[in-house]
Amino acid sequence: MQPRRPESFDGLGYGGREEPGPGTGAGFTAKPFSSSADLSHWISSPPDIPGSRNLHWGERTPQYGAGPAGTPLGGVGLNDEPYPAGPGSSSEQLNRFAGFGIGLASLFTENVLAHPCIVLRRQCQVNYHARNYHLTPFTIVNIMYSINKTQGPRALWKGMGSTFIVQGINLGTEGIISEFTPLPRELSHKWSLRQIGGHLLLKSLTYVVAMPFYSASLIETVQSEIIRDNPGILDCVKEGIGRVISMGVPHSKRLLPLMALTFPTVLHGVLHYIISSIIQKFVLLLLKKENSQSFPAESSNSVQSMLDAYFPELIASFAASLCADVMLYPLETVLHRLHIQGTRTIIDNTDLGYEVLPINTQYEGMRDCINTIKREEGMLGFYKGFGAVVVQYTLHVAVLQLTKIIYSMLLQNVA
């Protein structure tokens, strides 16, 4: 139940920005990269669009159109007249705009363009009837084509609105709980085990609150377009509340109570957060170490230095999300089957692409679900639909590479 862009592990990195100092006007204080002690200043915290910040290695400000020393970016002080634009001012503006565009393209890919892969992935995970496990991207692409041909494009983008609602509920719940409790939403670089425990407890409470709405969103994404009515944009909220108070939603006796879903839901959410945070931190440090050696040649290759200012954070976020999804895929399969049981959901036949199948599982809990999948479907049964993950992240890589090429060409033309 994670958003496709994982949050950075704020307890291991820098969670804010420098305050403006005297004589710096409205700009940020520049700090040259000096030692490994400055590593934490390279990481900033979400939520925002990755790449949209004017983030440079070692908090360096761009060299294009820079004003005199002691003035902020663009050479304008608080009480000074505007500094005449240098020949690189247009490059600086393009630099900011392109950084925002790159981050926006990444978010669009994660949450919109990749949504058909999420739909097929979840349908394969909950389809215990399936003979074809769709472990490779080739069979996934084929079944996507079949479903699109028989049901239309809407069948591959169903439930997208509800996924945004769940992400919003997660963010809102986390903010509200952190405001009224001592649980830290972000951790300083001088973190302690107690602070980390409180931070993970905050995450756990957030997942518990969002759990019924996640169940409703899951049903919307796997329910076959052939038999479902046109859902409203707030049906996810209505059905989630109905799941809590056990009213208004037709369920069978096989429906597991929310208490039985709490442990697997929190376990998956917390593990996903921890793994993605550690991987992101590790990749960022590797990229920083690699690129810090190229500072002396920065003036000779300004285009590459601008690209290095935006893409490391996106690459780290991509790698973190990929590793967490791959490592926790079996647990996610178990979690989705437990959430969907007893909800009278009808899914598409992922073997053929033009029929529907009911979900009639009778798992007693998490342990019984794991043992049943292992006994009846084998170990590969935990990886049903894994080909959709390959397609999803391949598509993400392609979009990032395309935006990088376009950005590089624009900067070279301006330069």
Side-chain angles (χ1 to χ4, degrees):
M1 54 190 296
Q2 301 298 313
R4 306 303 311 167
R5 178 176 180 267
E7 297 175 71
S8 65
F9 195 15
D10 302 316
L12 302 180
Y14 178 60
R17 297 186 183 273
E18 295 287 346
E19 293 295 331
T24 60
F28 298 112
T29 302
K31 282 189 177 181
F33 176 79
S34 57
S35 66
S36 59
D38 291 325
L39 289 177
S40 61
H41 293 275
W42 191 81
I43 302 174
S44 53
S45 59
D48 62 347
I49 295 178
S52 63
R53 298 185 293 270
N54 192 14
L55 185 64
H56 288 256
W57 298 111
E59 298 286 65
R60 296 165 64 95
T61 54
Q63 302 301 317
Y64 294 93
T71 60
L73 187 62
V76 181
L78 204 59
N79 300 315
D80 299 333
E81 293 297 324
Y83 188 75
S89 59
S90 58
S91 297
E92 181 183 321
Q93 293 176 357
L94 179 62
N95 182 21
R96 296 176 179 178
F97 177 76
F100 177 81
I102 291 169
L104 193 61
S106 178
L107 286 183
F108 176 80
T109 304
E110 292 177 8
N111 297 284
V112 179
L113 205 57
H115 191 75
C117 301
I118 297 174
V119 171
L120 264 296
R121 162 183 169 178
R122 291 179 173 183
Q123 283 194 324
C124 293
Q125 285 177 319
V126 301
N127 187 2
Y128 67 97
H129 304 280
R131 297 178 179 273
N132 191 338
Y133 287 10
H134 297 294
L135 301 176
T136 66
F138 308 105
T139 56
I140 281 290
V141 172
N142 184 47
I143 202 67
M144 279 185 181
Y145 173 77
S146 300
I147 293 177
N148 180 75
K149 184 178 179 181
T150 56
Q151 302 181 33
R154 285 185 56 187
L156 298 177
W157 270 271
K158 58 191 175 186
M160 185 170 63
S162 64
T163 59
F164 287 117
I165 291 176
V166 172
Q167 291 183 24
I169 291 174
N170 272 311
L171 292 175
T173 302
E174 184 176 331
I176 293 173
I177 294 177
S178 64
E179 285 293 328
F180 292 95
T181 65
L183 301 178
R185 189 176 186 181
E186 296 181 357
L187 302 178
S188 65
H189 60 282
K190 296 181 180 180
W191 47 267
S192 64
L193 291 179
R194 181 176 180 180
Q195 289 176 328
I196 291 181
H199 183 64
L200 294 180
L201 177 59
L202 172 64
K203 292 290 182 182
S204 302
L205 294 175
T206 300
Y207 300 141
V208 171
V209 173
M211 180 172 58
F213 307 101
Y214 179 77
S215 293
S217 174
L218 177 64
I219 294 173
E220 285 192 17
T221 55
V222 302
Q223 182 91 319
S224 176
E225 192 73 16
I226 297 177
I227 55 93
R228 77 177 196 148
D229 300 327
N230 293 327
I233 190 172
L234 295 179
D235 280 2
C236 170
V237 178
K238 182 178 67 176
E239 293 177 7
I241 296 175
R243 180 77 179 265
V244 174
I245 62 178
S246 301
M247 292 181 59
V249 184
H251 294 146
S252 70
K253 295 181 179 179
R254 298 188 305 274
L255 181 71
L256 292 174
L258 290 177
M259 289 298 297
L261 299 175
T262 300
F263 176 74
T265 301
V266 172
L267 178 65
H268 176 268
V270 171
L271 287 179
H272 195 286
Y273 174 71
I274 293 175
I275 292 173
S276 60
S277 300
I278 293 175
I279 296 295
Q280 186 175 24
K281 171 75 172 179
F282 179 71
V283 173
L284 282 173
L285 291 177
L286 285 181
L287 293 174
K288 179 172 178 60
K289 182 178 179 181
E290 177 183 346
N291 286 275
S292 62
Q293 301 173 358
S294 64
F295 280 155
E298 186 175 2
S299 58
S300 61
N301 192 359
S302 58
V303 172
Q304 184 62 38
S305 66
M306 282 187 177
L307 293 175
D308 290 341
Y310 293 113
F311 276 92
E313 189 177 353
L314 295 178
I315 294 173
S317 177
F318 167 83
S321 181
L322 173 61
C323 292
D325 280 353
V326 171
M327 294 174 66
L328 296 178
Y329 197 88
L331 179 59
E332 185 183 71
T333 299
V334 173
L335 177 66
H336 287 169
R337 292 201 182 188
L338 295 177
H339 272 278
I340 212 74
Q341 175 173 300
T343 57
R344 298 183 178 179
T345 302
I346 307 295
I347 66 171
D348 295 313
N349 187 331
T350 55
D351 288 334
L352 303 175
Y354 54 82
E355 292 181 354
V356 295
L357 297 170
I359 299 296
N360 294 318
T361 55
Q362 299 184 17
Y363 305 124
E364 296 180 0
M366 181 178 175
R367 179 180 298 181
D368 181 53
C369 181
I370 294 173
N371 293 334
T372 302
I373 294 175
K374 188 187 303 183
R375 181 178 63 253
E376 298 181 359
E377 304 170 53
M379 293 302 297
L380 291 180
F382 293 101
Y383 291 91
K384 282 186 173 180
F386 188 79
V389 177
V390 179
V391 175
Q392 175 182 342
Y393 285 97
T394 301
L395 184 63
H396 196 176
V397 167
V399 172
L400 285 180
Q401 195 65 27
L402 180 62
T403 54
K404 184 175 183 179
I405 292 173
I406 295 174
Y407 184 24
S408 180
M409 291 175 59
L410 289 173
L411 287 176
Q412 287 176 351
N413 291 336
V414 173

